[in-house]
């Protein structure tokens, strides 16, 4: 049986009412989730789904209302600092020091984690090669592109060789090429270091690169599985509609207004549409 790194069981988190007389906010409701050794797991869902709340519970920045979190088969409440050091968390706004260079930022995080100086070169060489930042080690972080800053943030998170890396939407606001590069780095982390990666994202194409996906909404897990397991039941409800007149906006408006369509998005020179019921290609043509 594969080693469980993280396990959440019937996890609930309520926040007090924001307005006097209002109802408590249920951020997480009976959430069950597991992460195995060397596995990449994605949490996907809209803003307010509970992704960041869950990460903060794992980091002990918040306490659960009920339920349990197990880390390395031990209750999170009983975790020692030694066990806690096996986790690295990269929030949406990661704290790089923009006046410091890449190498100085790495040194700072190594100091904070107590990494002996005679062990750092090998770790740095591996991380700089993995992130393709080696040619820029003397460049201030403030002069890096958004994608390079995120890669530096990942490198800083990994200096202590954690067994579980948690990232909260690291590609938000990053250009498509940098998004791909970031995911290439994360794939290497999982494969080369056998590090477990738990990541939240708003993009299904990113989540598809993970071993398993959890779909969250309003604090609940709607579904979980591999990409094929999640999408196969709907394969006859999703169709690409090419735009013969090259007027994608006009086609999008027409398709989105159809009572038979759940959702529609532009894709290339056409529209990708999700229908309420199973259809054949002949039905679409008609």
């Amino acid at each position: 049986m594969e080693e469980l790194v993280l396990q959440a069981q019937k996890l609930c988190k309520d926040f007090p009412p924001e307005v006097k007389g209002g109802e408590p906010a249920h951020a997480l409701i009976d959430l069950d989730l597991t992460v195995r050794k060397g596995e990449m797991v994605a949490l996907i869902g809209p803003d307010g789904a509970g992704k960041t709340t869950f990460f903060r519970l794992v980091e002990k920045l918040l306490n659960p209302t009920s339920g349990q979190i197990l880390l390395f088969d031990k209750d999170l409440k009983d975790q020692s600092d030694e066990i806690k050091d096996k986790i690295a968390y990269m929030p949406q706004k990661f704290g790089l020091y923009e006046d410091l260079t890449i190498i100085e930022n790495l040194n700072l995080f190594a100091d904070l984690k107590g990494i002996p100086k005679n062990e750092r070169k090998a770790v740095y060489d591996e991380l700089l090669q993995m992130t393709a930042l080696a040619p820029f080690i003397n460049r201030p972080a403030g002069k890096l592109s958004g994608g390079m800053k995120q890669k530096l943030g990942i490198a800083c998170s990994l200096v202590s060789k954690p067994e579980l890396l948690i990232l909260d939407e690291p590609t938000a606001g990053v250009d498509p090429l940098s998004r791909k590069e970031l995911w290439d780095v994360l794939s290497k982390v999982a494969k080369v270091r056998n590090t477990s990666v738990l990541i939240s994202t708003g993009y299904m194409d990113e989540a598809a690169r993970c071993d398993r996906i959890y779909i969250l909404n309003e604090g609940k897990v709607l579904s979980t599985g591999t990409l094929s397991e999640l999408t196969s039941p709907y394969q006859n409800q999703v169709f690409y509609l090419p735009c013969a007149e090259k007027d994608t906006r006009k086609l999008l408006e027409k398709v989105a207004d159809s009572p038979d369509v759940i959702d529609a998005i532009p894709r290339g020179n056409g529209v990708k549409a999700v229908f309420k019921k199973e259809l054949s290609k002949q039905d679409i043509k008609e």
Side-chain angles (χ1 to χ4, degrees), residues 173-186:
V174 175
D175 65 89
L177 178 59
S178 296
R179 280 175 52 198
K180 180 183 179 303
E181 291 176 346
L182 281 168
W183 275 92
D184 289 343
V185 170
L186 295 175

Side-chain angles (χ1 to χ4, degrees), residues 1-7 33-41 70-74 83 86 162-164 193-197 212:
M1 186 176 179
E2 293 179 279
E3 178 186 348
L4 284 179
V5 172
L6 170 64
Q7 186 175 16
L33 180 148
T34 58
V35 180
R36 299 179 179 89
K37 182 69 176 175
E39 184 180 40
M40 293 182 69
V41 175
L70 299 176
L71 281 173
F72 308 101
D73 209 29
K74 293 184 179 180
I83 297 296
K86 293 183 178 182
E163 295 185 33
L164 173 62
R193 285 192 167 196
N194 200 29
T195 301
S196 304
V197 179
R212 283 185 302 120

Side-chain angles (χ1 to χ4, degrees), residues 7-194:
Q7 186 175 16
Q9 300 173 329
K10 299 297 180 185
L11 194 65
C12 296
K13 178 60 182 177
D14 296 340
F15 290 104
E18 295 182 358
V19 181
K20 186 176 181 180
E23 295 294 327
H26 304 295
L28 291 175
I29 304 170
D30 290 334
L31 184 141
D32 291 323
L33 180 148
T34 58
V35 180
R36 299 179 179 89
K37 182 69 176 175
E39 184 180 40
M40 293 182 69
V41 175
L43 301 185
I44 186 168
D47 290 345
K51 305 185 296 294
T52 300
T53 297
F54 175 65
F55 290 165
R56 289 175 177 171
L57 289 171
V58 175
E59 276 292 297
K60 295 183 76 170
L61 299 174
L62 295 172
N63 293 317
T65 303
S66 62
Q68 185 181 45
I69 298 175
L70 299 176
L71 281 173
F72 308 101
D73 209 29
K74 293 184 179 180
D75 195 305
L76 181 63
K77 294 184 294 185
D78 303 324
Q79 292 292 318
S80 65
D81 290 338
E82 181 181 355
I83 297 296
K84 192 70 166 51
D85 286 342
K86 293 183 178 182
I87 303 174
Y89 174 44
M90 182 176 163
Q92 290 183 20
K93 294 182 179 179
F94 189 73
L96 292 174
Y97 290 84
E98 300 208 345
D99 291 337
L100 301 182
T101 64
I102 286 177
I103 195 68
E104 288 170 340
N105 268 282
L106 288 172
N107 281 329
L108 176 60
F109 280 89
D111 288 341
L112 293 172
K113 290 294 184 178
I115 309 301
K117 291 188 177 181
N118 62 342
E119 297 179 8
R120 297 184 186 186
K121 185 179 185 306
V123 176
Y124 291 177
D125 288 347
E126 177 193 22
L127 294 173
L128 291 170
Q129 181 180 11
M130 193 180 291
T131 57
L133 291 174
F136 314 102
I137 58 172
N138 294 315
R139 182 177 296 182
K143 294 186 178 181
L144 300 176
S145 67
M148 292 173 74
K149 286 181 180 179
Q150 293 297 77
K151 286 194 285 187
L152 177 56
I154 292 173
C156 290
S157 298
L158 292 170
V159 292
S160 61
K161 297 185 178 180
E163 295 185 33
L164 173 62
L165 176 62
I166 300 174
L167 304 106
D168 194 356
E169 298 196 15
T171 61
V174 175
D175 65 89
L177 178 59
S178 296
R179 280 175 52 198
K180 180 183 179 303
E181 291 176 346
L182 281 168
W183 275 92
D184 289 343
V185 170
L186 295 175
S187 296
K188 291 177 184 176
V189 169
K191 291 176 182 177
V192 175
R193 285 192 167 196
N194 200 29

